[in-house]
């Protein structure tokens, strides 16, 4: 959760969570991991994730029980309709 931050678009005022931390394959990853971040800023993301999980709990268990391929894409696009259908949701 600490890899993301809540940003607000200055024009539309739309709020989204954006990843700012590098991934393991990125060149700067080893240096980045030496830093320690702690902030209450992750709390809105944690709350949003917990709310989504609670709201779509039955769908999540159903997909897991079916051993669904592309679980994240199916959950994000088909079951919850929270994501654009063209996106690849590998970080979920």
């Amino acid at each position: 959760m600490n890899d993301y931050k809540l940003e607000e678009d200055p024009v539309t005022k739309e709020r989204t969570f954006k990843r700012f931390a590098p991934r393991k394959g990125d060149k700067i990853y080893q240096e980045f991991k030496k830093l320690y971040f702690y902030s209450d800023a992750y709390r809105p993301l944690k709350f949003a994730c917990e709310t989504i999980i609670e709201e779509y709990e039955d769908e999540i268990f159903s997909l897991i029980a079916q051993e669904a391929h592309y679980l994240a894409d199916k959950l994000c696009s088909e079951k919850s309709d929270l994501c654009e259908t063209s996106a690849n949701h590998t970080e979920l």
Side-chain angles (χ1 to χ4, degrees), residues 1-5 18-24 26 28-29 32-33 37 91:
M1 303 246 175
N2 288 335
D3 292 349
Y4 296 83
K5 69 177 188 167
K18 300 269 181 157
R19 183 181 180 95
F20 70 90
R23 299 190 185 282
K24 285 185 180 180
D26 295 345
I28 196 162
Y29 178 77
F32 181 82
K33 283 313 215 184
F37 296 95
E91 62 184 47

Side-chain angles (χ1 to χ4, degrees), residues 3 12 33 43 48 52 60 81 86-87 90 92:
D3 292 349
T12 65
K33 283 313 215 184
R43 291 183 190 268
I52 290 169
I60 293 168
D81 200 29
S86 63
T90 57
L92 295 179

Side-chain angles (χ1 to χ4, degrees), residues 5-68:
K5 69 177 188 167
L6 185 60
E7 290 185 348
E8 183 176 287
D9 184 291
V11 177
T12 65
K13 301 297 183 201
E14 180 182 9
R15 296 171 63 184
T16 56
F17 290 100
K18 300 269 181 157
R19 183 181 180 95
F20 70 90
R23 299 190 185 282
K24 285 185 180 180
D26 295 345
K27 291 179 182 178
I28 196 162
Y29 178 77
Q30 291 303 320
E31 290 300 315
F32 181 82
K33 283 313 215 184
K34 293 178 185 177
L35 304 173
Y36 177 75
F37 296 95
Y38 179 79
S39 167
D40 286 339
Y42 74 89
R43 291 183 190 268
L45 177 59
K46 182 178 180 196
F47 178 76
C49 291
E50 289 171 347
T51 301
I52 290 169
I53 289 171
E54 187 175 304
E55 186 173 342
Y56 295 101
E57 181 177 25
D58 293 338
E59 288 85 352
I60 293 168
F61 286 132
S62 172
L63 289 171
I64 291 170
Q66 296 171 25
E67 297 181 20

